[in-house]
């Protein structure tokens, strides 16, 4: 799996399209989009060698706001699309982006198996702990007692999903958390994530001022992890278990082979259709 | 002398019924005959009863006969579960080992002749040879197959198991050949003068896999499901050999979306599944319609709804294949007309999906997929058109803008100057999301027209024979219908067989307001519709989309019992006397 490394020089804004985002004023996703284009620029990626793949939700609108190749698919299925694209076209840089509902609820199964497969791609989740596009329902990362949604008047009543811990447990080899209030840090982490040879997962805490105004307080709560990145998944798990979910930085950067098409099997030696047809002759 | 011979082998799991059936089919093939082998099995993973249903002949056969000439029971375990799948007549022979007990009532009631075949005794005398090989050896000898063919087949099938198993199997076959009961004297098939050249032996699942490869498929993502898994297992090593890839996905939602990702990346992609998986894939197929992304789904149908009857055949995914997508979602639905035709129809489906940038569903079924046939080598049609790819460096590339044929140029990622976003939201010509009524109407019309206006060539509808009585059918029931029609013609009665290979778009090929199917029925006054569906899905499809003659009858019944040629003739009834 080798992505094309033809360094070119384009400004971050040249990775943006002329389509105006549908996002609300103050939405954290603007900063993630900016960080993404900044990272593409820093990496010197030719726009045609990058594909941004997404599902459905506010943050999943991001492909159309870039000038690279994009795929805006179905709710929850972005990682599956990205997986197929990366296996078929290992030369491309594949970045999958989306929200917490898209990635951890309807698409949760794909998240687990994408971590297991460890393909060389990057998954950025803009986590605002809410379904914004459908007007403010609880998501998998919402606090158990968050009672602002009419759908779950007493709060969702469940322990929030722990994306970074689960990514480590499921086999992701690069796990990081960052905050939209620190766009340069997101860009730095994204550069590392894209360079990482394996599945890199970036949880970007990205406040929703419309449905979760209380998230304005996040900027006072977030702080860097108090340790350097580890290459040991067990150590990364311990740190994440002990964390309150608001520490930022790269937690894990480990090495493990990516999934590759199997090369075994009795007939793998047939390299032409004619050779395969000869086996069928009665 | 009969021109075909039908043999049923039954037994409990582990008895080696299917292996004995394979030896019989392969040995008969080496002797120059044609044939088919259909499997029927219960739901157990291992240890369940199974049946190998064979029909051998001097010419290619495409369906089981009305009854079996011979039933060989390796034992009587759970035979009642198969009794109705093994019709017998007074002249049929039932071969069983008396030491396995008396012929059970469910079989005895059929009135066939009972013949003792002391499998256990013969096997024991041959130094504990396997009883299934004793049975296979006896049947091959009764048919007149040379021992050298039998032993060559056993070696080809069991050689991997190693020396002891192989020599025991050969001992068994020889013991069986030496112990053929006298009552089997007139089972011999007419000897073939020469062994025909360029014949293939393959199952419908393998044929569909080959069609996919011939069509250019180099990416497959799929989730295991009966009865489609063998198609995927056949493809996995061969795709690797050809430089492609097969991904075992976490579920069918992933399968179809992985295929869309790979296809978006420029690689022709396919998945295979059965009814439950197709149900999960329908949202993804809608995305393929809206985003105009080529993809092929081979649905090897089984009894439904829900988990239904996973191991047995039914033609009841027609409704969901045609109408299961939400929104106005024009797409392609195709059905092979025989086991061997799974190769052509799948290849054609890949070609159409790529050319028209639309999803195609191929409706195979268990009866096609898991039946092994010996057949003439299927033709490899060299289709000329391919996916229309955008040229690089366009000042203002518009992914969803097209010329007269409605087909837009699709950029392949990696191409400079044509970046765009594939879009499942309604969009304008550039692909930018839009909820405007004008964009919606224009994109809907183009996505519909590009399919309706395409020239599908001579393959869209199978038409055989002429006359003012027609049998209209589709998919796996074509075999029995074509044989019924041939029997009618042999009696001097004209019968037309019409079977659409392309079911959707239904109104394709319109000339002066007449669909291709209506034109195939030109001059027909009476139509018999034949299908394997309780709710008459095909009949309703025909009524919804096509003008039929006034006189219509329907032979429709659920799976898994196959429809037999004489049933079709009986359904024609007094019409065939005209």
């Amino acid at each position: 799996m080798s992505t094309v490394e033809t360094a070119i020089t384009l400004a971050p804004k040249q990775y943006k399209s002329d389509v105006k985002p549908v996002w609300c004023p103050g939405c954290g996703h603007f900063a993630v989009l900016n960080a993404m284009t900044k990272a593409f620029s820093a990496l010197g990626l030719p726009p045609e060698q990058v594909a941004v793949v997404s599902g459905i939700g506010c943050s999943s609108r991001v492909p159309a706001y870039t000038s690279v190749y994009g795929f805006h698919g179905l709710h929850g299925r972005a990682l599956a699309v990205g997986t197929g694209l990366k296996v078929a076209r290992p030369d491309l840089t594949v970045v999958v982006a989306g929200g917490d509902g898209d990635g951890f609820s309807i698409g949760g199964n794909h998240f687990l198996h994408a971590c297991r497969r460890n393909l060389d791609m990057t998954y950025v989740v803009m986590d605002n702990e809410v379904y914004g596009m459908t007007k403010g329902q609880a998501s998998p990362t919402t606090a158990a007692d968050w009672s602002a949604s009419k759908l779950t008047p007493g709060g969702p009543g469940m322990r929030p999903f722990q994306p970074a811990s689960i990514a480590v447990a499921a086999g992701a080899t690069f796990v990081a958390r960052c905050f939209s209030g620190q766009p340069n840090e997101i860009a730095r982490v994204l550069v590392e994530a894209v360079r990482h040879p394996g599945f890199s997962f970036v949880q970007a805490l990205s406040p929703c001022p419309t449905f979760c105004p209380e998230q304005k307080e996040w900027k006072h709560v977030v702080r860097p992890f108090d340790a350097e990145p580890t290459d040991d998944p067990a150590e990364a798990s311990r740190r994440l278990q002990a964390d309150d979910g608001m520490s930022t930085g790269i937690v894990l950067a480990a090495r493990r082979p990516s999934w590759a098409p199997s090369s075994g099997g009795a007939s793998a030696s047939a390299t032409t259709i004619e050779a395969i047809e000869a086996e069928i002759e009665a | 002398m009969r021109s075909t011979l039908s043999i049923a082998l039954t037994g409990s799991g582990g008895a080696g019924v299917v292996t004995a059936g394979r030896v019989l089919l392969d040995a008969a093939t080496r002797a120059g005959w044609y044939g088919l082998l259909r499997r029927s099995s219960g739901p157990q993973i291992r240890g369940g009863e199974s049946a190998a249903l064979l029909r051998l002949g001097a010419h290619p056969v495409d369906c089981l006969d009305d009854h079996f000439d011979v039933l060989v029971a390796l034992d009587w375990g759970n035979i009642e579960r198969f009794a109705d799948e093994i019709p017998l007549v007074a002249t049929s022979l039932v071969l069983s080992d008396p030491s396995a007990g008396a012929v059970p009532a469910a079989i005895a009631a059929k009135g066939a002749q009972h013949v003792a075949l002391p499998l256990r005794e013969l096997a024991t005398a041959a130094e504990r040879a396997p009883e299934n090989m004793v049975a296979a050896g006896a049947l091959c000898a009764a048919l007149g197959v040379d021992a050298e063919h039998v032993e060559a087949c056993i070696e080809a099938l069991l050689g991997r198991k190693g020396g002891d198993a192989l020599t025991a199997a050969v001992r068994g076959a020889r013991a069986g050949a030496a112990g053929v009961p006298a009552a089997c004297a007139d089972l011999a098939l007419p000897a073939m003068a020469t062994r025909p050249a360029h014949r293939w032996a393959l199952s419908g699942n393998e044929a569909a896999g080959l069609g996919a490869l011939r069509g250019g498929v180099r990416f497959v993502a799929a989730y295991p499901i009966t009865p489609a898994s063998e198609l995927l297992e056949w493809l996995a090593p061969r795709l690797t050999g050809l430089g492609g890839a097969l991904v075992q996905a976490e579920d069918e939602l992933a399968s179809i979306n992985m295929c869309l990702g790979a296809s978006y990346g420029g690689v022709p992609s396919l998945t295979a599944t059965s009814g439950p998986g197709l149900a999960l894939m329908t949202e993804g197929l809608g995305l393929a319609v809206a985003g105009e992304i080529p993809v092929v789904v081979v649905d090897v149908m089984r009894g439904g709804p829900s988990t239904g009857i996973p191991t047995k055949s039914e033609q009841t995914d027609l409704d969901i294949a045609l109408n299961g997508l939400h929104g106005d979602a024009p797409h392609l639905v195709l059905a092979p007309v025989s086991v061997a035709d799974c190769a052509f129809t799948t290849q054609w489906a890949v070609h159409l999906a790529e050319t028209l940038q639309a999803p195609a569903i191929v409706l195979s079924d268990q009866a096609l997929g898991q039946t092994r046939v010996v057949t003439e080598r299927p033709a490899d049609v060299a289709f000329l058109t391919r996916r229309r790819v955008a040229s690089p460096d366009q000042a203002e590339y518009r992914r969803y803008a097209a010329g007269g044929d409605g087909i837009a140029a699709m950029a392949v990622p990696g191409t400079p100057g044509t970046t765009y976003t594939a879009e499942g939201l309604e969009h304008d010509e550039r692909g930018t999301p839009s909820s405007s009524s004008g964009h919606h109407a224009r994109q809907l019309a183009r996505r519909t027209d590009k399919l309706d206006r395409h020239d599908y060539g001579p393959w869209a509808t199978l038409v055989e024979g002429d006359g003012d009585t027609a049998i209209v059918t589709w998919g796996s029931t074509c075999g029995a219908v074509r044989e019924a029609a041939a029997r009618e013609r042999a009696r001097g009665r004209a019968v037309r067989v019409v079977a659409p290979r392309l079911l959707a778009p239904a109104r394709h090929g319109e000339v002066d307001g007449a669909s291709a199917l209506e034109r195939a029925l030109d001059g027909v006054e009476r139509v018999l519709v034949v299908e394997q569906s309780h709710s008459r899905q095909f009949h309703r499809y025909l009524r919804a989309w096509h003008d039929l003659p006034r006189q219509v009858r329907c032979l429709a019944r659920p799976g898994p019992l196959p429809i037999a040629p004489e049933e079709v003739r009986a359904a024609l009834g007094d019409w065939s006397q005209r």
Side-chain angles (χ1 to χ4, degrees):
Chain A
M1 305 274 167
S2 61
T3 48
V4 171
E5 292 275 352
T6 334
I8 58 157
T9 312
L10 289 179
K13 68 177 181 199
Q14 289 176 282
Y15 292 90
K16 274 195 190 159
S17 76
D18 57 1
V19 179
K20 190 176 169 290
V22 293
W23 301 326
C24 308
C27 176
H29 302 346
F30 286 106
V32 180
L33 170 62
N34 286 340
M36 209 181 264
T37 57
K38 205 174 278 185
F40 293 158
S41 169
L43 288 160
L45 293 167
E48 67 273 12
Q49 287 297 332
V50 182
V52 176
V53 176
S54 71
I56 294 297
C58 297
S59 52
S60 290
R61 290 289 188 121
V62 75
Y65 307 149
T66 70
S67 68
V68 302
Y69 278 95
F71 190 116
H72 185 207
L74 298 175
H75 196 24
R77 312 298 159 224
L79 281 170
V81 171
T83 298
L85 178 59
K86 186 65 189 180
V87 171
R89 292 291 307 278
D91 57 310
L92 299 175
T93 296
V94 176
V95 176
V96 180
D100 38 297
D102 187 73
F104 309 139
S105 190
I106 190 168
N109 195 29
H110 309 309
F111 178 52
L112 300 179
H113 293 276
C115 292
R116 285 180 63 213
R117 262 184 212 102
N118 194 35
L119 290 179
D120 184 10
M121 55 199 255
T122 298
Y123 184 34
V124 185
V125 172
M126 295 166 233
D127 187 353
N128 54 16
E129 304 180 356
V130 73
Y131 287 90
M133 193 155 264
T134 49
K135 313 285 184 269
Q137 293 82 18
S139 91
T141 50
T142 304
D145 60 353
W146 185 75
S147 57
S149 167
K150 283 186 270 189
L151 190 59
T152 51
M158 284 185 282
R159 183 180 187 274
F161 193 85
Q162 306 291 313
S165 281
I166 288 163
V168 173
T173 49
F174 181 104
V175 175
R177 189 186 292 131
C178 34
F179 172 53
S180 65
Q182 297 161 346
N184 290 337
E185 173 68 359
I186 306 179
R188 184 190 74 83
V189 167
L190 284 178
V191 166
E192 294 305 313
V194 171
R195 282 189 178 143
H196 174 77
F199 187 75
S200 49
F201 169 60
V202 179
Q203 179 190 12
L205 301 172
S206 180
C208 174
T210 302
F211 296 107
C212 305
E214 66 277 12
Q215 291 170 350
K216 283 176 188 155
E217 295 307 308
W218 281 2
K219 61 176 177 285
H220 304 302
V221 183
V222 294
R223 68 317 207 176
F225 276 108
D226 58 8
E228 290 299 300
T230 174
D231 61 2
D232 175 12
E235 172 59 21
S237 282
R238 274 192 292 276
R239 289 182 194 174
L240 288 164
Q241 290 284 323
D243 187 62
D244 65 353
M246 300 306 281
S247 297
T248 60
I250 298 167
V251 184
L252 175 70
R255 292 294 173 102
R256 186 167 64 79
S258 294
W259 178 90
S262 76
S263 52
S267 302
S269 56
T271 56
T272 62
I273 301 268
E274 291 71 26
I276 291 168
E277 293 188 356
E279 300 168 357
I280 302 170
E281 197 89 15
Chain B
M1 201 179 241
R2 53 171 67 83
S3 67
T4 72
L5 183 76
S6 294
I7 301 167
L9 283 147
T10 63
S12 359
V17 162
V18 175
T19 308
R22 269 298 292 272
V23 168
L24 204 52
L25 180 70
D26 292 356
T29 306
R30 282 176 191 257
W33 292 309
Y34 294 85
L36 65 78
L37 166 61
R38 185 164 168 180
R39 278 162 40 190
S40 184
S41 49
Q44 295 89 342
I45 309 307
R46 292 237 189 254
E49 67 287 352
S50 62
L53 308 174
L54 288 107
R55 188 176 183 200
L56 305 171
H59 52 79
V61 286
D62 250 345
C63 65
L64 290 173
D65 208 344
D66 302 289
H67 63 266
F68 288 87
D69 302 298
V70 187
L71 162 64
V72 179
L74 298 182
D75 58 59
W76 291 117
N78 292 324
I79 187 68
E80 65 283 354
R81 295 190 191 169
F82 284 115
D84 57 357
E85 291 176 45
I86 305 171
L88 300 171
V89 295
T91 53
S92 304
L93 303 181
V94 175
L95 274 59
S96 68
D97 189 337
S99 74
V103 176
I107 297 297
K110 295 169 186 273
Q113 304 168 44
H114 300 170
V115 178
L117 179 62
L119 289 170
R120 188 171 303 168
E121 193 183 310
L122 289 166
T124 307
E127 298 168 61
R128 306 190 64 76
E131 291 178 25
N132 65 329
M133 289 298 122
V134 176
L139 281 167
C140 286
L143 296 179
V145 181
D146 286 349
E148 60 170 304
H149 292 320
V150 181
E151 289 170 23
C153 292
I154 292 173
E155 184 164 355
L157 275 176
L158 303 179
R160 268 194 313 175
K161 284 193 173 183
D164 288 352
L166 182 61
T167 52
V170 170
R171 276 201 312 278
R174 287 177 185 167
V180 179
C184 297
D186 69 343
L187 291 183
L189 278 170
M192 299 293 278
T194 53
R195 182 175 161 184
H198 304 301
R199 289 183 310 164
W200 281 14
L202 78 179
S203 70
N205 277 340
E206 293 171 355
L210 177 69
L213 297 179
R214 278 178 165 182
V217 167
R218 293 297 180 270
F219 180 88
V220 173
Y223 188 77
I225 189 167
T226 303
S229 297
E230 293 143 355
L231 197 168
L232 304 162
E233 289 164 354
W234 187 89
L235 273 172
R238 291 168 179 84
L239 265 173
T240 309
L242 294 176
L246 182 143
V247 180
Q248 179 175 332
E250 52 269 28
D251 55 32
E252 285 92 346
L253 306 169
S255 310
I256 186 70
N257 283 282
M258 286 180 184
C259 286
L260 295 180
S263 178
Y264 164 80
V267 178
S269 302
L270 171 144
T271 184
T273 188
S274 191
L278 181 64
L280 290 177
M281 290 180 188
T282 53
E283 191 192 18
L285 288 166
L287 171 58
V289 172
E292 300 187 59
I293 303 164
V295 69
V296 175
V297 179
V298 178
D299 173 17
V300 188
M301 296 183 289
R302 64 193 212 185
S306 185
T307 313
I309 309 179
T311 54
K312 296 186 180 182
S313 206
E314 197 168 69
Q315 293 182 303
T316 44
D317 292 349
L318 181 61
D319 275 350
I320 187 176
L322 291 167
N323 306 312
L325 280 57
H326 68 272
D328 286 326
H331 60 283
L332 299 151
V333 179
L334 302 92
V337 297
S338 69
V339 172
D341 189 53
C342 290
F344 170 80
T345 298
T346 307
Q347 181 185 0
W348 191 38
V350 177
H351 160 77
L352 290 178
E354 289 287 319
T355 302
L356 297 169
Q357 296 175 27
I361 301 170
V362 177
L363 292 174
S364 175
D365 61 20
Q366 186 271 336
L368 294 171
Q370 294 192 326
T371 294
R372 188 174 176 81
V373 293
V374 179
T375 181
E376 307 295 346
R377 180 184 189 277
D380 184 358
V381 181
F383 296 109
L384 295 179
T385 53
R386 284 268 166 257
R387 188 187 300 196
R388 185 174 299 165
V389 172
S391 52
D393 296 319
Q394 299 186 27
E396 184 139 347
Y397 172 57
R398 291 184 302 157
R399 165 67 184 99
Y400 299 108
D405 62 4
I407 303 166
M410 187 172 178
V412 181
T415 310
T418 50
T419 57
Y420 76 101
T421 292
E423 187 53 78
L425 285 168
E426 191 55 281
H427 43 262
D428 63 12
E429 292 188 337
R430 208 179 85 167
T432 306
S434 167
S435 55
S436 107
S437 59
H439 289 142
H440 188 44
R442 282 194 292 279
Q443 292 294 333
L444 281 173
R446 187 175 57 74
R447 294 194 292 254
T448 307
D449 292 349
K450 71 175 179 179
L451 298 192
D452 284 349
R453 289 183 195 158
H454 184 72
D455 177 3
Y456 293 93
W459 303 288
T461 314
L462 173 87
V463 183
E464 283 179 355
D466 47 24
D468 57 10
T469 300
I471 312 176
V472 183
T473 189
W474 74 286
S476 65
T477 50
C478 286
V481 164
R482 290 161 88 178
E483 182 152 339
R487 291 180 190 176
E488 285 295 297
R489 289 183 206 118
R491 288 165 169 79
R493 298 167 195 146
V495 177
R496 199 181 304 189
V497 172
V498 175
R501 203 185 253 117
L502 181 69
L503 290 146
R507 297 292 303 179
H508 68 84
E510 261 190 36
V511 176
D512 299 331
S515 67
L517 190 113
E518 286 161 359
R519 283 184 286 113
L521 292 173
D522 198 26
V524 168
E525 291 174 16
R526 293 165 295 276
V527 163
L528 171 64
V529 179
V530 180
E531 62 176 313
Q532 202 176 27
S533 156
H534 177 78
S535 70
R536 304 183 174 201
Q537 296 187 7
F538 183 58
H539 183 207
R540 285 189 278 106
Y541 158 82
L542 292 171
R543 290 284 190 200
W545 285 102
H546 304 285
D547 275 341
L548 297 182
R550 253 170 34 122
Q551 298 184 68
V552 176
R553 286 178 184 169
C554 198
L555 169 58
R557 74 145 185 262
L561 285 188
I563 288 171
E566 283 306 302
E567 281 182 274
V568 177
R569 289 192 59 227
L572 282 173
D574 56 335
W575 285 358
S576 77
Q577 308 304 318
R578 291 165 190 270

